[in-house]
Amino acid sequence: MSDQPGIHDKTFSQVSDERKKAAKQLGILFEVFPERKQAFEDLLRLCSDRDSEVREEAINSLEMVFPNVPDRELTWERFVNLTAYPSERVMKRGVNALIAVFPLMPDKTRAWNDLAGLVKSKSSMEDVSRGIVRRLPDVLPELPNQEQAWKDLLEMTVSDDSYVREKAASFLSMVFPEIPEDKKNDSWDELLELADASADSTVRALAAKSIEEVFPVLPEEKKDEAWEEVLELAGKTADQAMQKEILLALPSVFSSVPDKKVAWGDLFRLTGDESGAVRKQAVDTLVSVFPEMPDSILVWADFLRLTGARDDYVRDTAADTLSAVFPGLKDKDSVWEELLKLTGNEDEYVRRAAADTLSKVFPHVSDKNQAYSDLVQLTEKKDSYVLRRVVKTLASVYPQFFYKYETNEVEEEENKEGEIEEKEEGAEKWKHEIKKTELGGEEEKSKPAGFYKLASEKAAFVRRDAANSLGAFFPGKGEEREAKGEIEARGRREIESKQGRETETREPAFNLLKLTGDRDRYVRKDAAESFARAYPYLPDKKEVIEKLLSLIQDPDPQMRRGAIESLLAIYSRKAGGVQDIWSELLKMSGDRDTDVRKRATELISHVFPEVEEKSGVFFDLVKLSESQDSQLRKRAAELLPVAFIYTDNKQRAWNDLLRLSSVEDREVRKGAVLAIASGFADVPDKGRVWSDLIRLSNHSDSFVQRAATRALGPAFFHVPDKTRAWRDLQALIDSPYVYVRRYALRSLGRASLWRALRAENEAAYLFGFKEAVKYFKEAAETLVDTSLPELYSPFYESLLRILFSDSPERTASLESGRYFSKAVHEIRDLEENQELLEILEELAGLLQAAGNLTPGDLLAQKKLLEKCIAVFDRASGMLDALEEDFILVQKSMKKEYPRIGNVVLEQKLKETLSGIRYRARTACLQAKGTPTEKITCMVSQKVREWGFQDIDKDRKELYRQLDSLLNVLRAQVPYLPENQYFFEKLEDIRQEQDLLERYRRMGRLIGLIPGVRMPKTSGR
C-alpha cells in the first residue's frame, strides 16, 4: 500500500526537490490512494507553489489524473489562472493542460468561452494566446455550438497579434460545414467580405483559400450565384496574393458547380485575360477539371484551340494535355489526323507534345499500316526530328515495322562513318537475313548467327542493336510481349515455326554470351539484359550456368566482368546451383581485378538468400568483413544481422560480432552492432549479453552507442538479474551523450512495462504503467530537435488515457485517430512505408480495442499490453532505421553545411530542387484516382518551373517561389484534425531561416501530400 500520509507531509517540505517529487508521486499513485480528495487538494495547492518547477510537476500530475479528479470545474479554473503566472514554462504547461482536458469537460460551452476569452484578451501573454490558437484544431471538433465558434474566429481575425489573426482565418473552413443550413448564406457573405476588405493581406489570402473548402457545403441553390461571386472577386481585386488563392481554389469549386458547361466557358475565357497569372491558373484549372466535363469533343476542341494561344504557358500546357484528353474520344482516326497537322506547329514544344501523343494514339487507330506509312512519308517530307522519334518508338514496339527501321538506321550510321565498302557488303547480308525472316520456316533459323557475325564487325552501336535484337529471338519472347498487349496477334505459320526453332537456341544463346564479354560496357550491359530476358526459354539452363561460372575464372577481365553481369541479370530461384555460385563468389572476392571484386560484391546479396546451407555462411561473411576491399567489407557487414540467425554456434558468432564492433571500418562496426542488437535473444548466456550491451553503450562510435542502448529495452525482458539491470539503466540516464540518455530512458520505460505485466493487483499495474509513460515522455523530451519521429510516448500516453477514462469507447476513438494521423505522416515519404503503415494501423486498432475492455479487468489489460509490446518489438528494426535516418541528416547538416561555400551550396540546392521535382512527380502518380490527385499534381506542375542561375542574384526569387507554394498548400489543404501534423511541418518551413534547409523540408512535405485528408467532394 502507498504511503499517502508520508507523501502528503512532503508537500509541506522546505526543500523544493521533495515537494516536486511529492507532486510526481501524487500523480502516479492517485488512483490507489484511499483519500483521493486529500491528494487532489495537495495537487491544487502545489499548483500555487512558490517554485516554478514544482508548479509544472503539479500541473502534469493534475492533467494525468483529470478523468478521476473530484471536481473538474475547479481544476479547469486552476489551469486558466496558471496562464497568468509570470513564468513562461508554467504558462505553456497551463495552456497544454487546458487543451488536453477540454474533451473531458462537462460544460464545453463555458470552457470554450474561457479559451476564446484568453485568445482575444489584450491582457493575455503572447505565449498564451498563440499557444491556445495553435491548438484550436484539437478543440473545435468537440464544441457543440459551431455558430458561436464562427463568430469568435471572425473576431480573432482582427486581433492585434498577426499570428492569432492568421491562425483564426485559417480555421474558418473547419467550422463552416457545421453551421446551421439557414445561416450558411450569411456566413458565406461574411467570408467574402473578409477576403475583400480585411486590413491584413495574409488574412485576405487565407479567407480566399477557405472558399475552396466551404463552397461544396453551400446550399445547392446558392452555388451558381456563388461561382459568379468568386469570379467577380478574383477579377476586381488588386491584391495579387488573394487573387491567386481564389484562382487556386477554382478546380475544387468547379467540381461543385451545377452548370459545368457555363463554368467551363468562363474558365476558357480567362485563358485570354490580360493578367499572365490569371491565364496561367485558368489553363491549369481546365487541365484539372476536364475529366468532369461530359462533352469530351468540346474539351478536345478547346485544348486544340489553346495550342495556338499567344501565351507560351497556355500553349504548352494545352499541348501536354492532349494526350490525357484523347482516350475519351470515340473517333481516334480524326484525332490522329489533327495531331499530324499539329506536328507542323511553329512552337517546338507543341510539336514535341503532339509527337508524343501520336505514339499513344497509334494503338487505337483503325488502319495501323496506313497510319504508319503516312507518318513515315510526313517524316521524310518535313525531315522532322520529333517525327523520326515517333517512327523509332513505333518500330521498337511493333515487329512488323522493326526490320525496315533497323536497316535504315544501320545504313545511315555506316554512311556517317564512311565505311562505304563494308556498308554495301553488310547491307546485302542484312537484307538477306531479313528476307529469310520474312519467308519464315527453316530459313529463319540462321538469322541470329548471321546477325551476330555482322554485328561483331560493326561499330559499338551495331553490336548494341545485335545484343538487344538477339534477346527477342528466343521462344516465348513473342508470347510475353503479346501478353503485355504490345503487338498484334501473329499468324499461325509464325507460331508453328517457333516449335522448330526451339532446338536451335544454343547458338544464339552463346553468341549472347560472347557479347557479354564485349570491350564496350554498354554492349555488355545490353547483352546481359537480353540474356536475362531470354534465359527462361533456354532448354539447358544448367549448361548455361556452368558456362557462366567458368567464364568467371577467364583470364580476360572483360569476360569475367561480362559473366558476372550476366549472372546478376539472370539470377532467379530457378537458376539452380546456388551453393556453387556462392563458393565461386568467395573465390572472386579475392580477385586482383577491382571490377571483378566489385561485381562479386554486387552479387553477394542476391545469392545469399537462396544458399541452401546457411549455417556456415555467417563465418564466410565475417572473413569478407575483414577483406582489403572496402565495398566488399561493407556489403558483407550489411548481411551479418540476417546471417546470424542461421549460424549454429551462436556464442562463437557473438564473439566475432563483438570483435567486429571495434574494428577500424565504421561500416563493419555498424553491421556488427546491428547484428548484436537484433540477435541477442538467441545467445545462451543472457547475463553476459547484458554486460556486453552496457559496455557497447559507452563505445566511442556514436552509432554503436545508439544501437546498443536501444537494444537494452527488449533485452531487459531476458536478463536474469533484473535488479542489476535496472541499476545499470538508471546509471545510463546520466550519460553525457544525449542519445544514450534518450534510449536509456526509453529502455527504462520498457522495463517498467515488464513490471506492470507482473503486477498482482491493479494498483501495482497502474504504478508500473504510469512509471513507463513517464520514462517514455522523458525520453521524447531529451532532444531539442522535434523533427525526430516519436512513436512510443504518444502511443502509451493514449493507451493510459483510454484505460482510465470515464468513457473509454469515446476516448479510444478520439485517441486512436489522433495517434494514427500524426504517426502516419511521420513516415509517409520514407522507405518501407507500406509495412510501417500496416504496423501503425495495428497499433491504432489496439488503441481502439482498449476502449472495449471491461474496467477493472486486469487480465485483459495485461494481454492487451503484451500485444502492444509485441507489435513494437516486431517493428523495432524499421523504427530504429527511421530514427537513424533523421539523426544522420541532422548530423550531416550541422557538420557539413557551415563549411561549404557558395559553389557547393548552389550544387546542393540544385540537387535538392531535382529531388523535389522527382518526389513531386512520384507523389502525383501515387495520388492518381484519390481525392488528393488534383492538389498533388498541381504541386508537381509548379515545382517543375523551379530553378536558378546564381544563388546570390536569385535568392529573393527562391524565397518567393517557396513562400508562394506554401501559401498554396495552406490554402488548398483543409484544416482538419487529421491534417494537423501536415500544417505543423508547413509552419516549420515558414519559421526556418536557412534557405537550403527550407527546400529540403519542402521536399519532405511534398511527400506528405498524398496522405492528407481531403473532402470527398474535392476528388475527381
Side-chain angles (χ1 to χ4, degrees):
M1 184 63 66
S2 60
D3 182 20
Q4 184 174 3
I7 296 174
H8 170 71
D9 291 341
K10 287 182 180 179
T11 63
F12 296 99
S13 172
Q14 295 301 309
V15 180
S16 60
D17 283 345
E18 289 193 4
R19 298 197 304 277
K20 181 179 176 182
K21 184 177 180 180
K24 183 181 294 187
Q25 290 177 321
L26 286 169
I28 294 174
L29 300 171
F30 187 85
E31 282 81 4
V32 299
F33 281 147
E35 295 292 336
R36 287 191 185 180
K37 185 176 180 181
Q38 179 65 63
F40 176 58
E41 292 172 353
D42 287 340
L43 284 172
L44 288 177
R45 178 164 37 80
L46 290 174
C47 282
S48 301
D49 194 273
R50 61 182 178 275
D51 188 291
S52 295
E53 291 188 5
V54 177
R55 288 192 180 219
E56 284 186 66
E57 199 61 60
I59 296 170
N60 286 338
S61 294
L62 268 179
E63 179 187 335
M64 183 185 299
V65 303
F66 189 84
N68 298 309
V69 296
D71 191 339
R72 294 185 180 181
E73 297 286 352
L74 180 59
T75 307
W76 175 269
E77 289 177 6
R78 185 57 54 90
F79 288 158
V80 170
N81 293 336
L82 285 166
T83 61
Y85 187 74
S87 167
E88 181 181 349
R89 295 184 60 175
V90 172
M91 281 190 296
K92 287 183 176 180
R93 281 302 309 143
V95 169
N96 290 338
L98 287 171
I99 301 299
V101 304
F102 183 89
L104 301 175
M105 283 296 292
D107 187 352
K108 290 185 176 61
T109 300
R110 178 201 162 188
W112 167 259
N113 290 336
D114 287 338
L115 291 177
L118 287 171
V119 174
K120 293 185 286 185
S121 174
K122 294 185 177 181
S123 62
S124 291
M125 298 295 290
E126 184 180 89
D127 287 332
V128 174
S129 57
R130 291 189 173 193
I132 292 174
V133 79
R134 182 173 60 249
R135 300 286 301 277
L136 284 184
D138 292 335
V139 173
L140 289 170
E142 303 287 333
L143 189 61
N145 188 349
Q146 296 290 313
E147 187 178 359
Q148 182 61 46
W150 175 267
K151 293 177 181 178
D152 288 327
L153 288 174
L154 283 177
E155 291 180 25
M156 293 178 196
T157 60
V158 295
S159 167
D160 292 337
D161 188 332
S162 61
Y163 182 85
V164 172
R165 293 197 301 270
E166 292 176 17
K167 282 293 182 182
S170 68
F171 296 145
L172 289 170
S173 60
M174 290 183 62
V175 177
F176 190 93
E178 306 302 324
I179 294 175
E181 287 296 314
D182 59 338
K183 301 289 185 181
K184 281 184 177 175
N185 286 350
D186 292 338
S187 299
W188 169 258
D189 293 338
E190 290 171 338
L191 181 64
L192 292 183
E193 183 179 357
L194 185 66
D196 186 30
S198 173
D200 187 323
S201 61
T202 304
V203 171
R204 291 198 300 272
L206 288 169
K209 161 263 174 193
S210 297
I211 290 173
E212 176 183 8
E213 300 306 320
V214 306
F215 193 94
V217 296
L218 282 172
E220 203 65 24
E221 62 276 7
K222 174 70 175 175
K223 288 182 177 176
D224 283 330
E225 178 187 350
W227 168 262
E228 298 298 333
E229 291 173 338
V230 169
L231 292 182
E232 181 184 355
L233 182 60
K236 75 176 184 179
T237 183
D239 185 340
Q240 293 185 354
M242 190 270 280
Q243 181 190 60
K244 188 172 184 179
E245 297 298 339
I246 295 178
L247 294 173
L248 288 171
L250 290 180
S252 179
V253 173
F254 181 91
S255 300
S256 301
V257 175
D259 194 340
K260 287 185 169 50
K261 189 171 183 180
V262 171
W264 176 271
D266 292 335
L267 291 171
F268 187 83
R269 282 190 292 275
L270 287 178
T271 61
D273 193 88
E274 294 180 357
S275 167
V278 174
R279 294 195 300 271
K280 180 176 182 296
Q281 189 54 42
V283 74
D284 285 346
T285 303
L286 289 174
V287 172
S288 298
V289 303
F290 81 79
E292 301 177 41
M293 283 290 291
D295 190 348
S296 56
I297 296 176
L298 172 65
V299 172
W300 174 263
D302 283 345
F303 276 119
L304 271 181
R305 286 169 60 190
L306 290 178
T307 59
R310 55 187 173 84
D311 185 294
D312 291 346
Y313 183 86
V314 173
R315 190 169 60 246
D316 295 350
T317 302
D320 279 338
T321 311
L322 293 176
S323 62
V325 177
F326 88 84
L329 300 171
K330 292 182 179 179
D331 188 359
K332 300 294 193 302
D333 290 340
S334 63
V335 171
W336 176 266
E337 296 297 330
E338 289 169 330
L339 288 172
L340 283 178
K341 294 177 183 177
L342 201 58
T343 58
N345 192 282
E346 295 180 358
D347 186 283
E348 181 183 1
Y349 191 92
V350 173
R351 294 197 302 272
R352 287 173 178 266
D356 289 339
T357 309
L358 279 172
S359 300
K360 298 175 183 178
V361 175
F362 187 80
H364 305 279
V365 177
S366 58
D367 188 344
K368 292 181 176 55
N369 287 327
Q370 183 61 48
Y372 186 77
S373 298
D374 293 343
L375 181 62
V376 171
Q377 290 175 11
L378 187 62
T379 304
E380 294 172 350
K381 181 179 178 181
K382 292 187 175 183
D383 191 23
S384 167
Y385 164 75
V386 293
L387 289 177
R388 285 203 304 273
R389 190 176 63 179
V390 178
V391 171
K392 180 176 180 179
T393 300
L394 295 179
S396 66
V397 175
Y398 295 89
Q400 60 264 43
F401 309 133
F402 174 72
Y403 290 120
K404 180 179 179 181
Y405 172 76
E406 286 292 311
T407 301
N408 293 337
E409 285 290 295
V410 170
E411 289 176 347
E412 181 180 334
E413 186 67 26
E414 288 169 338
N415 275 323
K416 289 180 182 177
E417 295 183 1
E419 301 172 356
I420 305 300
E421 295 181 8
E422 190 173 345
K423 181 211 71 169
E424 292 174 353
E425 180 182 356
E428 289 302 317
K429 291 180 181 179
W430 195 297
K431 292 175 182 178
H432 180 61
E433 296 298 333
I434 294 172
K435 183 176 181 181
K436 288 195 285 186
T437 300
E438 291 172 346
L439 292 175
E442 294 300 319
E443 289 186 67
E444 191 178 76
K445 298 176 186 177
S446 60
K447 183 253 178 184
F451 194 28
Y452 170 76
K453 183 178 180 182
L454 173 65
S456 66
E457 299 168 355
K458 296 295 179 183
F461 88 97
V462 181
R463 299 199 302 276
R464 289 194 68 183
D465 280 343
N468 280 310
S469 301
L470 278 169
F473 169 74
F474 297 94
K477 185 64 183 173
E479 293 89 331
E480 181 184 357
R481 292 175 67 183
E482 286 176 331
K484 295 179 180 179
E486 294 178 352
I487 62 173
E488 298 290 319
R490 306 282 182 91
R492 179 178 300 177
R493 184 181 63 180
E494 184 180 355
I495 294 174
E496 292 173 351
S497 72
K498 292 174 187 172
Q499 307 300 324
R501 283 204 318 236
E502 186 170 357
T503 59
E504 301 295 328
T505 55
R506 285 189 62 193
E507 184 67 24
F510 286 101
N511 283 338
L512 269 176
L513 280 181
K514 293 176 184 177
L515 285 174
T516 62
D518 192 272
R519 64 183 179 274
D520 185 278
R521 68 189 184 96
Y522 294 107
V523 175
R524 292 200 306 272
K525 180 177 181 294
D526 289 350
E529 291 176 353
S530 288
F531 196 87
R533 292 195 298 268
Y535 180 80
Y537 311 108
L538 296 179
D540 195 346
K541 297 180 177 62
K542 184 177 180 181
E543 183 179 352
V544 171
I545 291 294
E546 290 174 355
K547 179 67 174 175
L548 285 172
L549 289 174
S550 67
L551 288 175
I552 285 174
Q553 304 297 327
D554 193 279
D556 184 348
Q558 288 178 353
M559 290 306 296
R560 295 202 299 273
R561 293 184 204 129
I564 294 169
E565 287 171 347
S566 296
L567 274 174
L568 278 169
I570 71 169
Y571 182 74
S572 68
R573 293 179 180 235
K574 298 179 181 179
V578 180
Q579 201 74 39
D580 294 334
I581 297 177
W582 180 260
S583 300
E584 292 298 329
L585 284 175
L586 294 179
K587 296 177 184 177
M588 290 162 52
S589 64
D591 196 285
R592 293 183 180 181
D593 187 277
T594 304
D595 286 330
V596 172
R597 292 199 307 273
K598 179 182 177 183
R599 295 306 184 185
T601 302
E602 293 175 0
L603 197 52
I604 281 176
S605 57
H606 292 273
V607 175
F608 168 75
E610 303 304 324
V611 175
E612 293 88 352
E613 297 295 332
K614 289 189 175 69
S615 57
V617 170
F618 175 84
F619 300 105
D620 293 334
L621 292 171
V622 169
K623 293 177 182 177
L624 294 177
S625 299
E626 298 171 307
S627 164
Q628 296 301 311
D629 189 295
S630 60
Q631 289 300 315
L632 192 57
R633 291 198 304 269
K634 178 181 178 182
R635 185 60 56 89
E638 288 172 350
L639 295 174
L640 288 173
V642 181
F644 182 81
I645 301 170
Y646 299 101
T647 183
D648 294 332
N649 191 339
K650 291 289 193 298
Q651 196 62 57
R652 177 192 166 193
W654 181 265
N655 294 337
D656 284 340
L657 289 174
L658 289 175
R659 177 170 52 80
L660 291 176
S661 67
S662 296
V663 298
E664 185 177 349
D665 190 320
R666 192 169 193 271
E667 293 299 329
V668 175
R669 295 199 302 268
K670 180 178 177 181
V673 76
L674 288 176
I676 287 171
S678 61
F680 67 83
D682 295 324
V683 181
D685 190 349
K686 299 296 192 299
R688 182 188 168 187
V689 165
W690 180 266
S691 299
D692 290 336
L693 289 173
I694 290 293
R695 180 171 54 81
L696 290 174
S697 67
N698 290 294
H699 198 283
S700 58
D701 185 328
S702 60
F703 183 89
V704 175
Q705 284 178 1
R706 294 193 297 272
T709 313
R710 281 194 199 102
L712 290 171
F716 185 89
F717 283 65
H718 300 275
V719 66
D721 189 348
K722 297 286 193 297
T723 303
R724 175 200 164 195
W726 183 269
R727 286 199 300 267
D728 289 338
L729 290 174
Q730 288 287 347
L732 283 179
I733 63 177
D734 294 323
S735 169
Y737 305 108
V738 63
Y739 288 107
V740 172
R741 295 198 301 273
R742 172 183 172 85
Y743 296 125
L745 286 165
R746 183 183 290 174
S747 296
L748 281 167
R750 294 287 301 268
S752 298
L753 292 179
W754 178 87
R755 289 182 170 186
L757 289 173
R758 276 143 189 81
E760 297 181 357
N761 54 60
E762 187 174 9
Y765 172 78
L766 183 58
F767 176 85
F769 202 152
K770 284 192 173 183
E771 187 178 48
V773 169
K774 177 179 74 74
Y775 282 124
F776 284 131
K777 190 173 183 179
E778 288 180 9
E781 293 172 350
T782 54
L783 302 180
V784 177
D785 179 16
T786 57
S787 66
L788 187 66
E790 177 54 53
L791 303 179
Y792 292 87
S793 178
F795 177 82
Y796 285 110
E797 286 185 54
S798 295
L799 183 58
L800 182 63
R801 280 194 288 267
I802 294 168
L803 292 177
F804 300 98
S805 169
D806 288 345
S807 54
E809 289 188 21
R810 184 175 178 280
T811 306
S813 178
L814 182 64
E815 294 290 343
S816 173
R818 283 179 179 173
Y819 176 76
F820 182 79
S821 174
K822 184 177 187 299
V824 74
H825 287 307
E826 298 240 5
I827 63 170
R828 171 61 65 177
D829 60 331
L830 301 176
E831 294 179 358
E832 298 179 301
N833 62 353
Q834 187 56 46
E835 191 173 354
L836 274 173
L837 283 173
E838 291 173 2
I839 291 290
L840 290 174
E841 287 174 356
E842 189 173 354
L843 288 171
L846 289 172
L847 290 177
Q848 196 73 46
N852 300 324
L853 297 181
T854 303
D857 189 345
L858 185 59
L859 181 61
Q861 290 183 14
K862 285 184 178 182
K863 286 183 177 179
L864 180 69
L865 183 56
E866 286 177 344
K867 290 181 180 178
C868 297
I869 294 171
V871 172
F872 273 110
D873 282 346
R874 197 166 72 247
S876 61
M878 288 180 287
L879 297 180
D880 293 348
L882 179 69
E883 292 189 343
E884 280 301 320
D885 287 342
F886 277 81
I887 291 170
L888 293 178
V889 166
Q890 293 302 317
K891 283 193 171 187
S892 62
M893 283 296 297
K894 290 177 182 176
K895 290 180 180 178
E896 297 173 14
Y897 183 57
R899 296 198 297 268
I900 61 179
N902 256 17
V903 175
V904 180
L905 176 58
E906 286 186 359
Q907 180 61 33
K908 285 182 175 287
L909 189 54
K910 287 178 180 178
E911 291 173 359
T912 301
L913 289 174
S914 176
I916 287 174
R917 287 189 286 269
Y918 174 78
R919 182 165 288 181
R921 288 196 302 272
T922 304
C924 179
L925 293 173
Q926 180 185 351
K928 290 294 183 183
T930 71
T932 60
E933 177 182 355
K934 178 177 55 187
I935 183 173
T936 310
C937 295
M938 176 270 293
V939 169
S940 177
Q941 201 167 43
K942 281 185 172 295
V943 302
R944 191 170 58 188
E945 305 166 13
W946 285 3
F948 70 97
Q949 297 299 322
D950 183 283
I951 194 167
D952 291 326
K953 295 179 180 178
D954 298 332
R955 185 178 293 271
K956 185 175 180 181
E957 174 61 19
L958 285 166
Y959 275 108
R960 187 206 64 76
Q961 67 187 18
L962 186 60
D963 289 337
S964 173
L965 183 57
L966 289 173
N967 289 334
V968 169
L969 291 174
R970 194 169 59 171
Q972 295 269 6
V973 176
Y975 281 86
L976 302 174
E978 296 89 339
N979 295 338
Q980 180 181 346
Y981 179 77
F982 178 86
F983 283 103
E984 287 175 0
K985 293 302 178 187
L986 189 147
E987 191 63 30
D988 287 345
I989 299 174
R990 289 172 62 86
Q991 300 299 325
E992 177 61 51
Q993 299 300 311
D994 182 85
L995 179 64
L996 178 59
E997 181 60 17
R998 290 192 87 189
Y999 273 94
R1000 284 174 169 169
R1001 293 190 180 192
M1002 188 70 235
R1004 294 194 287 271
L1005 185 74
I1006 287 173
L1008 302 181
I1009 299 175
V1012 301
R1013 178 67 62 86
M1014 301 289 286
K1016 293 181 179 179
T1017 51
S1018 66
R1020 287 187 181 180

